Amino acid sequence: MELLIKVLVCFIAAAGAGIGTGFAGMSAAAVIGPMLVTFLGIPAYHAVGIGLMSDVLASLVSAWTYKKNGNLDVKRSILLLISVLTMTAVGSYVASFLPEKTMSGTMQIAMIIIGLRFLLKPVQTTKEQMAEQSRNSRIVKSVVGGAIVGFICGTVGAGGGMMLLFVLTSFLGYEMHMAVGTSVFIMAFTALTGGVSHFAVGGMPDMVSLVLCVTFTFLWARIAAVIANKASAKTLNRVVGIVMITTSIVILAVNYLS
């Protein structure tokens, strides 16, 4: 019975995480972490590590799907990637000193606000308009935005993907599909850095939960990414907004009830 419950919880958590990753570039740890803590009693630091490692393959398969559809910008995202990775490692170390309940509250409220932004003011930028961005301005925004996103992801293991999507669309002027594709590409490396750092500092987690979450998240992310690339930018904006808001409300409710 205990194993069945573990499989069920991991499947539900991974479904939410995978759909969020494929559609909106959301960090899997945003869903998986709180679910594992609340329903399986896994220590928060380990739960975040499992969520981050689940994000790796899910983000890679999503990025590959977006790339096949011409919606991945690797060249111009390298500086952003480096900035995010550096601060993810720093944030992961800082997280080892923080209390169990750190991941939640303010971050989830911020996600609801950002979700409303995508619903009420959809991203209308085209790929042609993307190319008009100033190089110097893009460099500064990439370094600063990446540092903030990386620290958030490494510290709480949640919200990094959503914040990255916000930075890509609102500050770097990315078209919606391109933003999601680039976001999941960066998050794959960010999640790997954060996950390895978590396990190096806090030790290995429950391996059954880790394998289950990684597998289920990968499958759901692949399905979601395929559907997302066939959707219009307007529809994708709406889905991203709904995913952000719904996920944040659920996580707040789970944490409140725990």
Side-chain angles (χ1 to χ4, degrees):
M1 179 59 74
E2 183 178 341
L3 178 59
L4 181 60
I5 292 175
K6 182 174 292 187
V7 172
L8 182 60
V9 170
C10 289
F11 180 81
I12 294 174
I19 292 171
T21 299
F23 268 114
M26 184 179 73
S27 171
V31 178
I32 292 176
M35 289 285 286
L36 297 186
V37 170
T38 302
F39 297 107
L40 296 182
I42 294 176
Y45 195 74
H46 281 171
V48 170
I50 291 174
L52 288 169
M53 292 307 292
S54 299
D55 214 357
V56 178
L57 289 181
S59 292
L60 283 175
V61 73
S62 297
W64 176 72
T65 304
Y66 277 89
K67 183 179 185 302
K68 285 203 310 179
N69 289 273
N71 292 316
L72 174 58
D73 181 13
V74 175
K75 184 178 180 181
R76 290 188 298 179
S77 65
I78 295 300
L79 189 58
L80 180 62
L81 171 61
I82 294 173
S83 180
V84 170
L85 290 182
T86 301
M87 290 308 295
T88 296
V90 174
S92 182
Y93 177 72
V94 171
S96 65
F97 300 101
L98 299 178
E100 293 272 299
K101 289 289 185 180
T102 297
M103 55 172 161
S104 192
T106 303
M107 178 55 62
Q108 302 311 325
I109 293 173
M111 292 301 100
I112 292 175
I113 294 173
I114 294 175
L116 287 172
R117 184 267 188 198
F118 285 110
L119 281 176
L120 302 176
K121 190 179 179 182
V123 176
Q124 303 289 346
T125 308
T126 64
K127 292 180 181 179
E128 289 72 24
Q129 291 173 322
M130 276 179 57
E132 298 174 1
Q133 289 285 318
S134 164
R135 181 174 180 275
N136 290 336
S137 174
R138 189 169 63 245
I139 289 175
V140 173
K141 291 176 180 178
S142 293
V143 172
V144 175
I148 295 173
V149 171
F151 188 76
I152 290 173
C153 186
T155 304
V156 300
M162 298 288 88
M163 293 300 294
L164 184 57
L165 185 62
F166 182 70
V167 167
L168 287 167
T169 55
S170 299
F171 294 99
L172 294 175
Y174 272 61
E175 181 268 338
M176 195 61 186
H177 286 86
M178 187 72 76
V180 177
T182 303
S183 174
V184 291
F185 168 73
I186 293 175
M187 282 308 298
F189 297 96
T190 305
L192 179 62
T193 301
V196 170
S197 297
H198 268 65
F199 296 159
V201 174
M204 294 302 294
D206 176 54
M207 293 305 296
V208 174
S209 297
L210 175 61
V211 172
L212 287 172
C213 287
V214 169
T215 303
F216 289 144
T217 306
F218 172 85
L219 295 175
W220 280 106
R222 169 60 176 159
I223 294 171
V226 170
I227 298 173
N229 275 278
K230 295 179 180 178
S232 66
K234 184 177 181 180
T235 299
L236 191 57
N237 270 277
R238 288 176 176 173
V239 172
V240 168
I242 292 171
V243 167
M244 282 188 180
I245 294 170
T246 303
T247 301
S248 296
I249 291 175
V250 170
I251 292 173
L252 283 173
V254 167
N255 285 329
Y256 177 76
L257 294 173
S258 61

